[in-house]
Amino acid sequence: MSHHEHLKFTRRDLLKSAAMAGATLGMSGLGAPQEMEAATGDERYLKTPKARFQSMIGMKFPALSKVRVGFIGVGGRGTSLLGNFLAIDDVQVTAICDIVKDHVSRAQAKVEKAGQKAPALFDQGERAFESLCRRDDVDLVVIATPWRWHVPMAVFAMNNGKHAAVEVPAANTLKECWDLVDTSEKTRHHCVMLENCCYGSNEMMVLNMVRAGLFGELTHGAAAYNHDLRRILFSKESEGLWRRSEHLDRNGNLYPTHGLGPVANYMNINQGDRFESLVSMSSPAKSLTFYRSQHLAADDPRMKEAYKCGDLNISLIKTARGLVITLEHNVSTPQPYDRINLIAGTKGIFRDYPPRIFLDGQPGGDEFVGIEEFKAQYEHPLWKQEGELARKLGGHGGMDFIMCYRLVQCMREGLPPDSDVYDAASWCAPAPLSEMSVAKGSAPMPFPDFTRGRWKESRS
């Protein structure tokens, strides 16, 4: 089946039958822009301000016959995303930006190899992305850069008439969350966070099962980003040039969205429920110091760094409807990869890593069963149709391609995005809120209502 023959889903259909980026690489060595504000003083953004513009909830993309994409940041992550977008019909990559000239040249060759004409190239300094965003042949700007540049770039893109697709986390502070929300509403352009884990085959199938009522009335979930990144954090290239610095002055959950996004979809967050409060605590910061003692030379300048972020951060989130979520972050200790991905209710429970299900009254006694027997009935149609190509392309098991394909599909068919700026802000907010809670001895912190009261509405 050609990619021109698209499945027809509304946002509601997709979330009824399933649900949005990997660890950010790209624009290596880029520093923090001067206009970035530190987390200090972020508490004044806890309160929800009055709306100044119309909500973006349910706002449809203008239907496009061809989606023209510009990329800011084509390091490891950006290059991977580029390959996924190039594999989708009716996508034209028109512009590439990175401060590393070799990255730009590599991306250009990739575009031309895919049979497209050479894109416009921008590599002259850290503000070169502004020229890309001003072009009139770009509909969507994909941002895959170090975290501290995500909001300035997304805001600039929207202010210049472009939709923004931002790698995770889309924002690091509450002020940044509100900047994205306010700019999206003001400009009437979408800001979508590229949360690929929402598009995993397991996550989309489990969402189908939740919508079908297999787990009954939901009561709790669990999410995590437990990933041994010590080697990457101390690398002298790519993320090692900037990501370790986040551990120097922050103590909380630095990377909440991979685990939280799918659980938020299961629970209908921002469309029937919302995150209401959070408490958080961190363990001591020990493991990065130990790791470098085993792997770095005694005269390495990094030996003088003092790490603030605890090895393990655990947060508890309560929703307005009383549901509970445990949320973990640990990138500093030796361990297997685990996002937990748990959802439970009155009729049963799903746990991932490995994936398994227990439903009340199932045959075989009190033992988990595998998920394969549910696949025929509950696998999402996007995976049924596009799964073979997605797995062939790779990208976290194929979820990256499904994410990119679905975003382009929404733009071509004039649908609202599956996740919008309110989801991006809500899923990122646990980072600054956990920092505040830890600093206050695990005091409860309220979530801002980024939807300004519209979370009670279903989305059709």
Side-chain angles (χ1 to χ4, degrees), residues 432-444:
L433 292 176
S434 65
E435 293 179 67
M436 293 177 195
S437 180
V438 169
K440 293 176 178 292
S442 300

Side-chain angles (χ1 to χ4, degrees), residues 369-400:
V369 298
I371 64 172
E372 286 301 312
E373 64 184 88
F374 300 93
K375 191 171 182 179
Q377 184 173 358
Y378 295 106
E379 184 179 30
H380 191 272
L382 280 174
W383 274 96
K384 289 181 179 178
Q385 176 177 312
E386 303 295 337
E388 183 177 355
L389 176 58
R391 293 183 179 94
K392 180 180 178 181
L393 289 171
H396 300 95
M399 64 173 67
D400 291 358

Side-chain angles (χ1 to χ4, degrees), residues 181-202:
V181 169
D182 291 343
T183 305
S184 181
E185 291 179 345
K186 179 187 70 174
T187 63
R188 315 308 298 157
H189 282 82
H190 280 295
C191 179
V192 174
M193 183 166 64
L194 293 171
E195 185 39 81
N196 57 344
C197 293
C198 291
Y199 290 89
S201 58
N202 287 350

Side-chain angles (χ1 to χ4, degrees), residues 357-369:
I357 290 172
F358 180 82
L359 299 177
D360 193 20
Q362 71 182 25
D366 294 337
E367 299 288 341
F368 278 105
V369 298

Side-chain angles (χ1 to χ4, degrees), residues 159-172:
N159 279 331
N160 282 271
K162 312 300 188 291
H163 301 291
V166 191
E167 259 296 341
V168 297
N172 294 291

